[in-house]
């Protein structure tokens, strides 16, 4: 089985979110980057479990600059076979998907796995765009994945219940909670990661169709109004007359 | 600018669908594309939200992203749409980027406001799991916008839309749904306007009765913090936060949840937040509109009682 896992970096979930350069840039000062949790905990770990059970390789791909290398090494330490970095800043989702699609076309993977979304941009765009560029089926928000020969069975929650889906390889999926459990890399993995291949390839020329021109923060919340635990009628009153939400 | 809005019309036409149509009609003359067997009268009623025409594909009963992409792009070409609007729900998340890739259109994910066209085409979106907003400029001539539910109120114009059948070659589905496991009724969390949520402070799954009682009284959905889903006290789909479901209800009631930054990320788009916690120093109070320092085991039943009295007085 030949698997490709799309890996992105994301600011640690406790990072303070602020902006610089007249609110046009994310302020990276003091920010720790991690592997985007959906990519790492679910997509990567499930890919590793499948190849451990059935044989095969797990390649990771990242569109990014050298600043992304530490997160790529983390994915290698967890167990990926090798890694590819397309050497370009990941600005626009179409641009990113196009880079991965070009690489995938030349390398014929059975399954391409992405995380459900990144926790910084929450776009949930790459998997779906990639599937279209490769003319492959896409299973979004998958929570279970089993593979037998060239047929995969997946499960996901849908409004009002859950679906069991069958699809033939090759296909693209986005991984959500439930697919696997987080793995902590051990010392051997970390040592091995240093010598695994991280191939840097040039980007293909692609139009950028969107760009972020500025950022802003939500308005500060007004002070919390405290209500006595014995005055729930007062709370109901406030929710009805003041907040107007019931 | 001419607009195409994709909506689902199975069963009752959802509020999110009406929001998307209202949003579209504020950008330009709006055509709706949908599929399935909804009757013409119900489809025509979408005109009330500002659509002039509804195209319906009768040859498709189950929506999947590959076939819907073919349908939406064909409809966009048919009506010469410059802007395509899709609601950012589960199906929309799979379909909209695919449509954008197919049309080489710039895609805006998670829009929360109308585009600003004074100087280009700029759309405000939710980023950093709701901790910030980004203004995204779209430079391509065709544009796809995924609209977050609860970002605009559906408006009623009193109009009625012309309904037309629309068919095109949809190819094959690619995926087969083998089985559909339905859950009990209940209110679906991502679309819920009222949510009652609880965390580790509730001590164990056997204590969720009081959460469900309050939710039932209110007609609210139930939710929980991540550790609660991780230990298996509640199902995973109830887990809200940065690594769970992000929600934007009108009312979020949180009992026995500390308010960790990752939890807040998924709920800080809520209009009104009520926090119930024994610890007056719990960080959640900083994000709350109304706070009750007290024991959830006492406060929840009391709140439920007060809500029931209120509900009864409303009828
Ligand atoms: C990468 C990462 C991602 C994460 N993603 C998420 C996420 O998406 N969602 C999420 O929720 N968490 C997430 N977390 C976990 C988060 O950091 C917190 O650990 C978690 O939210 C705490 O859950 P809790 O508030 O239920 O439990 P606790 O932090 O244990 O808080 C329990 C609260 O209950 C109160 N309490 C106790 N008894 C009572 C009582 N009788 N009545 C009323 N109050 C009482 C306590 O004072 C306390 O404030 C993430 C963490 C990491 C590292």
């Amino acid at each position: 089985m030949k698997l490709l896992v799309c890996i992105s970096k994301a600011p640690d979930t406790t990072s303070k979110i602020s902006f610089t350069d007249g609110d046009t840039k994310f302020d990276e000062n003091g920010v720790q980057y991690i592997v985007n949790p959906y990519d790492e905990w679910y997509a990567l770990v499930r890919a590793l479990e499948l190849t451990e059970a059935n044989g095969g390789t797990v390649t990771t791909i990242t569109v990014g600059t050298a600043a992304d290398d530490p997160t790529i090494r983390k994915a290698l330490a967890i167990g990926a076979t090798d890694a590819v970095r397309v050497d370009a800043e990941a600005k626009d989702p179409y641009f990113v998907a196009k880079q991965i699609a070009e690489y995938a076309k030349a390398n014929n993977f059975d399954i391409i796995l992405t995380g459900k979304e990144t926790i910084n941009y929450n776009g949930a765009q790459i998997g779906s765009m990639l599937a279209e560029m490769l003319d492959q089926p896409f299973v979004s928000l998958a929570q279970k994945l089993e593979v037998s020969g060239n047929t995969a069975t997946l499960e996901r929650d849908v409004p009002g219940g859950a679906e069991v889906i069958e699809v033939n390889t090759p296909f693209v999926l986005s991984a959500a909670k439930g697919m696997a459990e987080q793995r902590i890399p051990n010392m051997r993995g970390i040592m091995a990661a240093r010598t695994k291949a991280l191939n840097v390839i040039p980007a293909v020329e692609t139009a950028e169709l969107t760009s972020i021109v500025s950022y802003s923060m939500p308005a500060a919340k007004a002070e919390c109004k405290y209500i006595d635990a014995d005055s729930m009628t007062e709370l109901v009153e406030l929710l009805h007359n003041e907040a107007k939400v019931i | 600018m001419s607009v195409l809005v994709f909506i689902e019309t199975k069963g009752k036409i959802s509020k999110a669908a009406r929001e998307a149509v209202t949003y579209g009609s504020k950008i330009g003359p709006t055509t709706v594309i949908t599929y399935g067997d909804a009757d013409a009268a119900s489809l025509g009623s979408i005109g009330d939200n500002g659509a002039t025409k509804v195209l319906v594909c009768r040859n498709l009963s189950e929506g999947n992203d590959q076939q819907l992409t073919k349908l939406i792009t064909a409809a966009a070409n048919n009506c010469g749409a410059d802007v395509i609007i899709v609601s950012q729900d589960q199906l929309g998340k799979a379909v909209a980027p695919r449509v954008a890739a197919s049309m080489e259109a710039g895609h805006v994910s998670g829009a929360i406001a109308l585009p600003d066209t004074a100087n280009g085409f700029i759309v405000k979106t939710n980023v950093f799991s709701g901790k910030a907003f980004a203004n995204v400029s779209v430079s391509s001539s065709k544009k796809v916008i995924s609209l977050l539910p609860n970002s605009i109120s559906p408006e009623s114009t009193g109009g009625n839309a012309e309904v037309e059948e629309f068919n095109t070659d949809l190819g094959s589905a690619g995926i087969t749904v083998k089985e559909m496991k339905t859950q009990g009724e209940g209110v679906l969390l991502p679309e819920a306007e009222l949510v009652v949520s609880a965390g580790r402070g509730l001590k164990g799954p056997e204590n969720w009765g009081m959460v469900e009682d309050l939710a039932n009284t209110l007609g609210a959905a139930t939710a929980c913090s991540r550790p609660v889903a991780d230990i298996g006290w509640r199902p995973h789909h109830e887990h809200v936060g940065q690594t769970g479901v992000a929600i934007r209800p009108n009312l979020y009631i949180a009992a026995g949840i500390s308010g960790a930054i990752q939890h807040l990320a998924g709920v800080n788009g809520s209009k009104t937040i009520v926090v119930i916690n024994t610890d007056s120093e719990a960080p959640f109070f900083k994000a709350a509109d109304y706070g009750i320092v007290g024991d959830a085991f006492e406060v929840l039943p009391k709140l439920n009682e007060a809500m029931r009295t209120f509900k009864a007085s409303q009828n």
Side-chain angles (χ1 to χ4, degrees):
Chain A
M1 219 181 320
K2 208 174 152 187
L3 306 180
L4 182 67
V5 181
C6 306
I7 296 281
S8 161
K9 73 172 180 339
D12 175 28
T13 52
T14 55
S15 304
K16 185 175 179 310
I17 305 300
S18 59
F19 304 98
T20 59
D21 292 16
D23 285 336
T24 60
K25 263 209 186 98
F26 175 57
D27 186 356
E28 294 190 303
N29 208 345
V31 168
Q32 279 276 1
Y33 278 97
I34 57 171
V35 181
N36 181 49
Y38 291 107
D39 305 350
E40 178 192 322
W41 302 350
Y42 309 129
L44 176 62
V45 175
R46 187 63 194 140
L48 293 171
E49 288 171 352
L50 286 173
T51 52
E52 282 158 9
N54 307 309
T57 55
V58 176
T59 300
T60 69
I61 186 163
T62 303
V63 178
T65 62
D68 289 60
D69 287 351
T71 46
I72 299 174
R73 291 276 173 217
K74 167 100 189 276
L76 290 170
I78 294 170
T81 319
D82 55 3
V84 173
R85 175 164 64 78
V86 180
D87 194 19
E89 222 174 300
K91 282 188 196 143
D92 162 59
Y94 182 85
F95 175 90
V96 172
K98 193 80 182 177
Q99 304 305 321
I100 301 171
E102 288 302 313
Y103 178 79
K105 268 180 205 161
N107 289 280
N108 291 322
F109 293 94
D110 297 306
I111 307 173
I112 303 178
L113 301 92
T114 73
K116 162 187 146 181
E117 62 188 37
T118 60
I119 58 168
N120 39 351
Y121 292 106
N122 313 108
Q125 293 156 300
I126 303 301
S128 168
M129 287 188 180
L130 198 50
E132 182 63 22
M133 290 167 180
L134 297 169
D135 196 21
Q136 289 182 9
F138 175 53
V139 184
S140 62
L141 310 176
Q143 292 160 306
K144 274 192 192 145
L145 164 68
E146 297 296 340
V147 185
S148 160
N150 58 3
T151 308
T153 308
L154 300 101
E155 242 184 89
R156 65 175 169 195
D157 285 347
V158 291
E163 278 181 346
V164 181
I165 291 168
E166 219 173 73
V167 59
N168 287 334
T169 58
F171 69 98
V172 181
L173 71 83
S174 75
K177 184 172 184 177
M179 184 166 273
E181 297 286 334
Q182 182 180 10
R183 275 190 192 179
I184 311 293
N186 57 25
M187 201 29 108
R188 234 179 73 217
I190 294 168
M191 298 300 284
R194 292 194 189 154
T195 53
K196 285 182 181 173
L198 194 174
N199 300 308
V200 180
I201 61 174
V204 292
E205 199 154 323
T206 305
E208 279 171 21
L209 308 177
T210 64
S211 60
I212 293 179
V213 289
S214 63
Y215 293 93
S216 59
M217 298 297 284
K221 272 253 172 193
E223 281 281 297
C224 174
K225 237 183 218 175
Y226 287 93
I227 291 132
D228 193 87
D230 290 318
S231 313
M232 285 305 101
T233 313
E234 186 193 339
L235 174 63
V236 170
E237 171 90 358
L238 286 168
L239 290 175
H240 180 58
N241 292 323
E242 188 178 76
K244 298 189 170 46
V245 289
I246 58 169
Chain B
M1 261 178 290
S2 152
V3 178
L4 180 73
V5 181
F6 165 70
I7 60 171
E8 285 204 281
T9 46
K10 275 191 245 172
K12 196 171 136 263
I13 293 168
S14 69
K15 176 164 164 275
R18 297 202 180 273
E19 287 169 1
V21 176
T22 300
Y23 182 93
S25 69
K26 295 196 175 286
I27 300 173
T30 295
T31 304
V32 164
I33 175 76
T34 186
Y35 68 97
D37 56 9
D39 61 67
S42 126
L43 293 176
S45 80
I46 301 164
D48 187 36
N49 304 107
T52 51
K53 196 195 245 183
V54 176
L55 302 174
V56 56
C57 172
R58 300 291 190 189
N59 303 341
L60 188 67
S61 55
E62 284 305 319
N64 73 82
D65 55 287
Q66 229 167 342
Q67 290 177 307
L68 286 174
T69 296
K70 293 204 169 75
L71 179 66
I72 296 167
T73 48
N77 291 334
N78 174 278
C79 66
D82 308 293
V83 183
I84 297 163
I85 316 288
V86 178
S87 189
Q88 177 106 318
D89 52 18
Q90 187 166 2
L91 181 66
K93 275 185 186 172
V95 170
R98 200 161 185 147
V99 169
S102 156
M103 302 182 75
E104 270 195 59
H107 177 227
V108 180
S109 176
I112 54 167
L114 283 164
D116 177 354
T117 52
N119 190 1
F121 191 97
I122 296 174
V123 190
K124 187 174 183 181
T125 67
N126 239 0
V127 288
F128 293 101
S129 306
K131 290 178 212 165
F133 307 118
N135 291 308
V136 179
S137 161
V138 186
S139 52
S140 53
S141 61
K142 307 270 183 210
K143 300 157 177 81
V144 178
I145 300 176
S146 293
L147 178 68
L148 274 186
N150 226 357
S151 300
I152 184 172
S153 301
E155 285 177 16
S156 174
T157 63
N160 203 54
E162 175 195 340
V163 179
E164 217 173 78
E165 278 201 33
F166 182 81
N167 291 306
T168 184
D169 178 16
L170 298 174
S172 64
I175 64 173
T176 320
V177 177
K178 288 301 234 196
E179 195 189 336
M180 179 74 190
K181 304 174 182 170
T182 42
Q183 280 159 359
E185 287 298 290
V187 183
L188 297 174
L189 183 56
E191 293 165 19
E193 296 193 357
L194 308 171
V195 175
V196 183
S197 184
R200 213 144 51 174
L202 259 75
K203 315 280 192 274
E206 66 279 8
N207 300 324
W208 246 262
M210 51 192 186
V211 177
E212 279 163 357
D213 286 346
L214 177 58
N216 284 339
T217 306
L218 277 167
T222 49
C224 68
S225 67
R226 177 170 154 215
V228 163
D230 281 354
I231 344 168
W233 292 359
R234 299 298 295 175
H236 281 313
H237 62 80
E238 284 198 2
H239 156 197
V240 291
Q242 190 157 8
T243 52
V245 188
I247 54 173
R248 299 154 53 76
N250 289 336
L251 174 61
Y252 185 72
I253 301 178
I257 302 178
S258 56
I261 187 164
Q262 298 95 351
H263 185 85
L264 295 180
V267 303
N268 57 10
S270 310
K271 242 180 223 139
T272 299
I273 295 179
V274 175
V275 168
I276 303 165
N277 201 304
T278 40
D279 175 7
S280 63
E281 301 288 310
F284 218 150
F285 285 117
K286 291 206 179 64
D289 299 280
Y290 303 104
I292 300 118
V293 180
D295 186 343
F297 289 78
E298 286 164 24
V299 176
L300 281 174
K302 278 185 195 156
L303 179 54
N304 186 30
E305 223 14 77
M307 280 294 178
R308 285 168 71 148
T309 313
F310 166 75
K311 286 274 169 184
S313 74
Q314 293 281 294
N315 293 331

